[in-house]
Amino acid sequence: MNMAILRVEEIIEATGGELLSENSKTFKGVSIDSRTIADEEVFFAIRGERFNGHDFLESALVKGSGAIVDTRPEPLPKGKVIIYVNDTLRSLQNLARFLRMKRDIPVVAVTGSNGKTTTKEMIYEILSKKYKTLKNEGNLNNHIGLPLSLMRLSPDDEVIVLEMGMNAAGEIRRLCEIAAPSHGVITNIGSAHVGRLGSYDAIRDAKLEILEGPGVAIVNADDSYLMQGIENIKHFDGRIITFGVNNEAHVMAKDVRITERGSDFILEAGDRGSMPVSLNVHGLFNVYNALAASAVSFSLGMSIDEIKTAIETYRAFPMRFEVLRKNGITVINDSYNANPSSVEESLKELIRLAAGGRAVAILGDMRELREFSEDEHRNTGKTVSGIGIDIFIAVGDMMNLAAKESMKAVGDKRGPQAFSFRDIDIAKKNIMEILKQGDTVLIKGSRTMAMERIIEGITDAV
């Protein structure tokens, strides 16, 4: 794995730290975990809600070559570099910004209520075919993970692609201060984090913080709520590139058709031309993700032929609308996470994929909705009832409210057959008493629900 080469003098310049030891050394990367620190790495003793990195300083220095601390160790470890700072987390962030600002290269920042990880991966898939590209791995998208990702910046990297997550107002602004993006991508505005931020306007405002620095904005033209917000912001005077399926946009998908493999569509990009694309992942939302990635890639000088070739090699990541075949049942494993808007989109795709067979939704509780939880789960029940689901299997106390709501008849129309289970273990044990061959099954819930364990119940069935 590439890591930045760090000199003690650079660390002190970036952090304003004080060198407590007499050593002068060059480090090959940083670590915040004493268990995995490697030789020649410097240890940042981060203070968290449940841990204090200073408690692990001694073990970190067994392998690590030095440490950045905000408590002066007594006595000083021999043969190790110790740098004292006022705030180790802030210093980690400042060092990451220092390294990024040394390089005059494009930085693409991606946020949105849904699809940001997939969009980031698709952007990386395309750009890496032409440029040496750095991305943040997994979900290292917060105030700690993003700086750690920038620490891997190497001299030959030509583009950086960073997913930016947030739980509160101001967090994306801070991430942009660290990464100084040239391009800001907003996939959509949905209900993720409504429990923390308190309103949909607050969610939109928090996402729009990503446009306070970049010169290029890539946004979803079909998200009217997002576009409304963009029209009202005063601080962005850069170039706006739109993508969409329904509304006129700079980059569009025309004639979208569902296939057994994923989706086929015509990629249209104005004077850049048009070309048929076969996407090997399911879901209309993934068409949007591909359009966002294509728009970024066009802006960075890639041709439509290069984009088509690259995007057709993309494959689904585990637990993100991953389509599997188990014991004669089509399983859509979308269990990585859930919020009301992403559940609704996945339910729509379930109906499309069921194609005449039974459509079965297995949904677990959506967490972090706080005071909105009961209302949002009941609304999900109404969505399940109105969208045409045949079987609804609810897991968890809150989703059981959705199941009750889904069974309420609306006029002559009756809701789905509904089953409720208190937890995942009971649901897993009983699942094959409900399912049968030919069913198409969506599995989705918040990460802490571990809904993927349902698949074990389907796979292990005799």
Side-chain angles (χ1 to χ4, degrees):
M1 181 183 292
N2 290 329
M3 278 290 184
I5 305 300
L6 302 169
R7 293 184 294 111
V8 168
E9 294 78 12
E10 289 180 318
I11 296 174
I12 291 173
E13 179 183 350
T15 65
E18 175 188 353
L19 182 63
L20 300 183
S21 61
E22 296 301 322
N23 304 69
S24 182
K25 188 173 179 61
T26 298
F27 301 101
K28 295 182 180 178
V30 306
S31 174
I32 63 169
D33 191 336
S34 63
R35 298 165 299 182
T36 59
I37 191 169
D39 294 335
E40 299 187 276
E41 287 186 340
V42 61
F43 178 67
F44 272 80
I46 301 295
R47 296 177 184 270
E49 291 181 5
R50 300 182 182 86
F51 66 91
N52 182 352
H54 296 78
D55 296 338
F56 307 100
L57 180 60
E58 186 176 340
S59 58
L61 290 176
V62 171
K63 289 186 68 177
S65 298
I68 285 81
V69 298
D70 59 32
T71 300
R72 297 172 185 263
E74 294 291 347
L76 282 173
K78 292 184 178 180
K80 304 290 183 179
V81 174
I82 304 296
I83 299 172
Y84 172 77
V85 298
N86 290 326
D87 183 328
T88 49
L89 175 57
R90 192 81 179 184
S91 295
L92 175 69
Q93 296 170 345
N94 289 345
L95 181 57
R97 174 176 169 78
F98 177 86
L99 293 174
R100 182 269 178 269
M101 297 307 293
K102 287 176 67 177
R103 302 293 311 284
D104 184 19
I105 59 176
V107 176
V108 181
V110 183
T111 194
S113 295
N114 305 310
K116 55 184 176 292
T117 300
T118 300
T119 300
K120 180 241 331 186
E121 294 293 340
M122 287 183 171
I123 294 170
Y124 176 82
E125 186 77 32
I126 300 172
L127 293 181
S128 61
K129 296 294 190 290
K130 185 171 185 177
Y131 306 110
K132 181 72 165 53
T133 307
L134 171 69
K135 65 174 180 176
N136 45 358
E137 300 291 343
N139 60 351
L140 292 176
N141 62 7
N142 64 6
H143 61 298
I144 297 176
L146 183 139
L148 288 174
S149 297
L150 284 171
M151 293 297 180
R152 295 172 42 231
L153 184 61
S154 64
D156 57 343
D157 283 324
E158 298 173 290
V159 184
I160 305 170
V161 184
L162 299 170
E163 174 186 340
M164 291 186 175
M166 64 92 188
N167 287 313
E171 290 185 358
I172 287 180
R173 181 179 294 113
R174 177 56 184 153
L175 295 178
C176 286
E177 289 172 357
I178 298 166
S182 58
H183 294 63
V185 182
I186 305 179
T187 59
N188 48 55
I189 303 295
S191 51
H193 309 301
V194 68
R196 290 179 180 270
L197 293 170
S199 73
Y200 291 98
D201 283 352
I203 295 169
R204 183 175 64 185
D205 290 345
K207 298 296 185 186
L208 287 171
E209 290 172 8
I210 205 169
L211 301 187
E212 293 180 13
V216 181
I218 293 93
V219 294
N220 185 342
D222 289 348
D223 189 327
S224 58
Y225 189 60
L226 167 60
M227 298 306 293
Q228 242 175 28
I230 290 171
E231 289 174 6
N232 293 331
I233 59 175
K234 304 290 192 294
H235 55 257
F236 184 76
D237 57 2
R239 178 186 176 201
I240 294 178
I241 302 174
T242 55
F243 62 90
V245 175
N246 300 315
N247 294 327
E248 194 63 32
H250 296 103
V251 179
M252 298 192 69
K254 296 287 185 70
D255 301 324
V256 179
R257 292 181 292 111
I258 296 168
T259 68
E260 185 176 332
R261 181 192 60 258
S263 300
D264 288 347
F265 60 90
I266 305 299
L267 176 63
E268 292 194 353
D271 58 7
R272 302 292 185 96
S274 64
M275 187 160 287
V277 171
S278 293
L279 195 61
N280 291 298
V281 287
H282 291 274
L284 182 61
F285 47 81
N286 275 322
V287 173
Y288 279 96
N289 296 336
L291 291 175
S294 298
V296 170
S297 303
F298 280 125
S299 76
L300 291 175
M302 295 193 70
S303 70
I304 194 166
D305 299 87
E306 291 171 324
I307 292 170
K308 168 191 165 65
T309 300
I311 204 69
E312 290 186 340
T313 66
Y314 180 82
R315 296 295 185 273
F317 272 58
M319 299 190 293
R320 287 186 170 92
F321 218 83
E322 180 185 18
V323 179
L324 312 168
R325 305 284 190 262
K326 302 289 182 182
N327 283 337
I329 296 170
T330 299
V331 177
I332 304 166
N333 182 7
D334 199 24
S335 59
Y336 184 78
N337 215 336
N339 60 62
S341 57
S342 70
V343 168
E344 182 174 357
E345 291 304 313
S346 293
L347 288 170
K348 291 176 184 176
E349 295 304 324
L350 168 62
I351 294 298
R352 292 189 182 101
L353 289 175
R358 292 198 312 176
V360 182
I362 307 177
L363 304 180
D365 284 353
M366 300 176 288
R367 302 284 171 81
E368 298 185 357
L369 294 174
R370 297 189 181 181
E371 68 270 23
F372 297 90
S373 189
E374 285 198 21
D375 286 344
E376 290 291 359
H377 281 86
R378 291 187 191 280
N379 287 337
T380 293
K382 293 175 184 176
T383 300
V384 169
S385 180
I387 210 166
I389 301 298
D390 298 297
I391 307 289
F392 180 19
I393 301 171
V395 182
D397 294 337
M398 286 292 104
M399 200 55 75
N400 285 342
L401 296 177
K404 291 176 183 176
E405 194 70 37
S406 74
M407 290 187 289
K408 294 179 180 178
V410 180
D412 294 333
K413 185 178 180 181
R414 300 192 62 80
Q417 186 178 5
F419 301 84
S420 295
F421 297 102
R422 185 177 66 251
D423 58 44
I424 192 70
D425 290 318
I426 301 173
K428 174 184 167 183
K429 182 179 178 181
N430 292 277
I431 194 65
M432 290 310 294
E433 294 180 11
I434 303 169
L435 302 182
K436 64 181 183 181
Q437 289 193 355
D439 287 345
T440 301
V441 179
L442 169 69
I443 301 173
K444 193 167 180 64
S446 283
R447 182 84 297 271
T448 52
M449 292 295 292
M451 292 298 292
E452 68 275 10
R453 291 179 55 205
I454 288 284
I455 300 173
E456 299 169 10
I458 299 172
T459 304
D460 295 343
V462 179

